[in-house]
Amino acid sequence: MRNDRLQDLGHSLSLVVGKSNVLLEEKKTRFYSTGIRVGSGLACAVVLPKDLLEFWKVLEICVSLDKIIIIQAANTGLTGGSTPNGDSYDRDVVIINTLKINNIVLLRGGLEVLAFPGSTLYQLEQKLACINRAPHSVIGSSCIGASIIGGVCNNSGGNLVNRGPAYTELSLYARLNEDGMLELVNHLDIELGDTPEKILNNLQNMNRDFINLPPSKYSASDEEYQGRVREINSSIPARFNADQRRLYEASGCAGKLAIFAVRLDTFPMPKKEAIFFIGTNNKDRLSSLRKRILKDFSKLPDMGEYMHSSYFDGADKYCKDTFLLIKYLGTNFLPKLLFFKRQIELFFSILPLIPRGIIDIILQAISQFLPDHLPKKIRDYRELYEHFMIIVASDQSIKETVDLLNDVSVGSSDFEYFECNESEGKDILLHRYVAGSAPARFALLNLDSSSELLPLDVAMPRNCDSWHEIFPPEITSQMKASFSMGHFLCMVFHWDFVVKKGVDTSKLKLDIFKVLDSIGAKYPAEHNVGHLYRADSCLKSFYVNLDPTNSFNSGIGKTSKNKFYQ
């Protein structure tokens, strides 16, 4: 972009948001244009609006100057979907970061919430805890600090069996129509006015009675998921990003719309909770357990998380520092820590002779001198078993879980469980929580013998029993390391592979996808296509209908980056 045109853009944006909230220099935009794990590219500007009306006016400027617009909040995605991908765009890219617009409004006495673009799941959990309610999702290890709307845009799944993937039919969004006109669409089912300025001002300034709001006829959560996940004989996965049943305006849009607010259900907090830790060397035991839970329980457990020993050991060795930081400083501290860590890493990345990931290298070295962080009983189970499952049950599902586990374990020499005390329960959940960071650190510390990280989140058919033996030796032999865990009751698995140096990763991906296609698996399951996966025809059609000019998040799902998808 020519310097004079860049300065004109910067001046126009500065009049709306203030000069300090417009970043034009590459050394300042790099933080926002670089993905947390993958993806980076040039952005001619990064803009940080402070409220909804500023957000709208920034969009108007970008549209009038024919810019590609990428809406970004926490930038925690694993597939690069909230940053540019390379520099092969036919127009300049502007990133709009919405983290400063972080209001959360309680609706109907807290039965629902209204979330603004930059609000995070951390904020939502804290706000709802005061009224004994819980959010649609809880934060996962792969996306610490994630935004609420980011989860909706990606149909993010997570580990809460009773609530399903993030989903709503109630949203306020801007789109660019076929004629290139920017329009604001109010589908919140809340009367806010008849012009963008009135709508956004009324919402920003809370000029409505949100407490006594009537319930909507539209869904603010995936109310059908509990029934769908119980269909254990189905050859179709329970949930995946390209599921047409859950592609609806903001839900699953992957940044092809500019979302100003979403309306979501909340859920009652359980009166009582119990955490069970299971160990076995026979994976078929877990398959049988899963089927009996989904078929026979009157109320499903809240979580059913699987960990293979590879991920147990990976978290143990490579995530100890993160475990201890969260345990003693709390989860609220972590997003700030990760923000500063990324800033420092980007600074060091431009300096010569400084190894890549210097902060992780230092933290890993320090962690080796820290005392053992896992309870003895959990450590003992790891010595005995290869497969692990964590079940979190609440209220009436506790007794059903105890009865079933007792029945399965009677007379068994290859299946064992115990009910965690409060400390053990917190520690095993935290161990699972931090595990997602293990593959990236392993790859960083083994640069001499490994090439790239290949993260897969895969939705397996609900009737699949061979989930642990999917890939043949000719594929697994090309890996320096493999890590496996999953949301077991949903049959959604995370396989993170660190590929050996010298392997043709592009061919390896194709070989892996052929195997997955042959068994009816769907991918990605919950992290969305980003710039790593190719959107299938249905998903691509959904994107084109939302954004016919291809001005928002161009190139997502390996679609065209050019105007009108040419």
Side-chain angles (χ1 to χ4, degrees):
M1 186 177 184
R2 284 178 49 185
N3 191 56
D4 55 344
R5 288 165 54 205
L6 180 61
Q7 294 306 316
D8 289 343
L9 172 66
H11 177 70
S12 299
L13 294 170
S14 296
L15 291 176
V16 174
V17 301
K19 191 173 181 179
S20 62
N21 290 311
V22 180
L23 311 178
L24 302 176
E25 300 175 37
E26 197 272 335
K27 65 180 181 181
K28 293 181 179 179
T29 62
R30 189 189 310 123
F31 176 81
Y32 300 91
S33 64
T34 303
I36 193 169
R37 281 206 191 177
V38 298
S40 65
L42 288 180
C44 71
V46 173
V47 195
L48 300 97
K50 301 181 292 297
D51 59 43
L52 296 175
L53 193 56
E54 284 190 0
F55 186 9
W56 171 257
K57 291 179 178 178
V58 168
L59 288 174
E60 288 185 311
I61 292 171
C62 292
V63 168
S64 70
L65 296 175
D66 198 24
K67 305 301 181 188
I68 289 172
I69 301 162
I70 296 177
I71 313 296
Q72 176 193 94
N75 188 17
T76 59
L78 299 189
T79 56
S82 54
T83 63
N85 183 49
D87 306 319
S88 56
Y89 295 88
D90 65 342
R91 293 150 289 166
D92 299 319
V93 175
V94 174
I95 296 173
I96 303 175
N97 184 282
T98 61
L99 276 181
K100 293 186 177 184
I101 315 172
N102 61 359
N103 302 40
I104 296 175
V105 184
L106 297 181
L107 306 179
R108 302 176 56 225
L111 296 177
E112 299 175 22
V113 295
L114 194 67
F116 284 23
S119 57
T120 66
L121 281 171
Y122 280 123
Q123 292 173 269
L124 183 56
E125 284 187 79
Q126 290 176 331
K127 195 174 187 77
L128 291 177
C130 300
I131 58 171
N132 207 34
R133 301 285 293 181
H136 62 287
S137 301
V138 294
I139 198 68
S141 61
S142 55
C143 47
I144 292 168
S147 69
I148 298 167
I149 285 181
V152 171
C153 290
N154 291 311
N155 282 143
S156 297
N159 51 22
L160 296 179
V161 184
N162 290 298
R163 301 175 203 175
Y167 177 76
T168 185
E169 296 168 1
L170 296 160
S171 62
L172 173 66
Y173 61 87
R175 72 184 294 266
L176 205 58
N177 65 24
E178 295 84 349
D179 300 321
M181 300 295 294
L182 187 68
E183 54 188 23
L184 187 68
V185 180
N186 180 11
H187 284 172
L188 288 172
D189 210 8
I190 303 171
E191 199 288 311
L192 292 167
D194 54 7
T195 67
E197 290 75 15
K198 287 181 181 177
I199 291 170
L200 297 173
N201 271 320
N202 284 329
L203 187 56
Q204 186 75 51
N205 299 317
M206 302 292 108
N207 294 331
R208 290 293 183 272
D209 180 4
F210 293 113
I211 298 297
N212 299 307
L213 192 73
S216 174
K217 65 179 181 180
Y218 296 98
S219 296
S221 62
D222 189 349
E223 298 162 352
E224 300 173 349
Y225 187 72
Q226 285 190 47
R228 193 158 67 245
V229 76
R230 288 180 182 267
E231 296 170 3
I232 57 176
N233 295 317
S234 173
S235 59
I236 301 172
R239 58 178 170 92
F240 51 98
N241 285 133
D243 187 350
Q244 293 182 70
R245 295 173 298 185
R246 289 298 171 257
L247 297 176
Y248 189 95
E249 297 181 346
S251 297
C253 75
K256 301 301 285 183
L257 300 172
I259 313 300
F260 285 77
V262 295
R263 185 171 164 181
L264 294 163
D265 287 330
T266 68
F267 301 85
M269 294 279 280
K271 296 180 177 63
K272 188 177 180 182
E273 188 176 83
I275 299 171
F276 303 90
F277 189 56
I278 299 163
T280 182
N281 288 317
N282 183 351
K283 69 173 186 63
D284 294 332
R285 290 280 193 178
L286 297 184
S287 293
S288 175
L289 187 70
R290 169 183 167 269
K291 291 177 181 178
R292 291 181 64 178
I293 289 173
L294 295 176
K295 182 174 176 288
D296 299 335
F297 277 26
S298 61
K299 181 183 182 298
L300 294 178
D302 300 319
M303 297 183 195
E305 295 293 285
Y306 167 75
M307 284 188 83
H308 183 254
S309 56
S310 57
Y311 241 126
F312 187 106
D313 295 345
D316 188 22
K317 184 174 182 179
Y318 299 108
C319 305
K320 186 177 182 179
D321 52 306
T322 307
F323 179 104
L324 292 171
L325 282 169
I326 295 175
K327 182 170 182 174
Y328 293 109
L329 296 179
T331 52
N332 291 336
F333 173 76
L334 200 58
K336 297 176 184 177
L337 177 67
L338 293 176
F339 176 85
F340 288 116
K341 177 174 174 284
R342 285 189 64 211
Q343 291 275 25
I344 295 169
E345 286 172 343
L346 286 169
F347 171 76
F348 278 125
S349 70
I350 63 175
L351 299 179
L353 305 178
I354 300 294
R356 197 178 100 196
I358 183 64
I359 304 302
D360 279 288
I361 292 171
I362 293 171
L363 289 172
Q364 182 64 26
I366 292 172
S367 70
Q368 304 308 301
F369 296 98
L370 299 175
D372 191 3
H373 59 297
L374 292 178
K376 183 179 184 304
K377 193 179 290 187
I378 292 171
R379 181 72 69 191
D380 290 344
Y381 264 50
R382 172 59 194 100
E383 296 299 318
L384 296 171
Y385 300 113
E386 180 184 3
H387 304 280
F388 306 96
M389 189 170 174
I390 305 164
I391 294 179
V392 180
S394 62
D395 300 333
Q396 72 186 77
S397 68
I398 296 175
K399 183 180 186 307
E400 290 182 291
T401 302
V402 171
D403 290 345
L404 176 58
L405 292 176
N406 285 337
D407 182 54
V408 173
S409 60
V410 168
S412 173
S413 59
D414 61 358
F415 181 97
E416 191 176 4
Y417 86 95
F418 69 91
E419 182 176 344
C420 301
N421 61 33
E422 184 178 358
S423 175
E424 291 165 341
K426 288 180 179 178
D427 283 349
I428 192 56
L429 286 177
L430 183 52
H431 187 64
R432 164 62 183 86
Y433 178 90
V434 301
S437 302
R441 183 169 287 185
F442 174 91
L444 181 67
L445 296 173
N446 291 274
L447 289 174
D448 57 331
S449 57
S450 61
S451 57
E452 65 180 279
L453 181 64
L454 186 56
L456 297 175
D457 66 298
V458 180
M460 301 295 289
R462 281 165 280 180
N463 63 357
C464 179
D465 290 329
S466 58
W467 49 270
H468 187 56
E469 299 155 344
I470 298 299
F471 301 111
E474 51 266 32
I475 286 179
T476 57
S477 63
Q478 299 181 67
M479 310 302 180
K480 174 70 177 177
S482 302
F483 301 86
S484 175
M485 63 182 177
H487 312 307
F488 194 63
L489 298 181
C490 305
M491 289 300 281
V492 168
F493 290 89
H494 297 285
W495 289 305
D496 290 273
F497 299 121
V498 182
V499 183
K500 289 180 180 177
K501 191 175 284 293
V503 168
D504 184 344
T505 309
S506 297
K507 181 180 182 304
L508 178 61
K509 285 181 185 177
L510 291 176
D511 292 340
I512 288 173
F513 293 157
K514 285 178 183 176
V515 172
L516 295 175
D517 292 340
S518 71
I519 60 173
K522 297 290 186 180
Y523 50 89
E526 58 183 3
H527 293 155
N528 221 337
V529 289
H531 292 288
L532 291 185
Y533 297 90
R534 187 174 302 279
D536 67 15
S537 58
C538 293
L539 197 55
K540 182 178 178 181
S541 295
F542 178 63
Y543 294 158
V544 172
N545 287 332
L546 294 178
D547 180 26
T549 67
N550 199 18
S551 296
F552 288 95
N553 217 3
S554 305
I556 203 74
K558 298 189 181 294
T559 58
S560 170
K561 294 179 179 178
N562 298 332
K563 196 166 186 179
F564 297 110
Y565 301 91
Q566 294 175 354

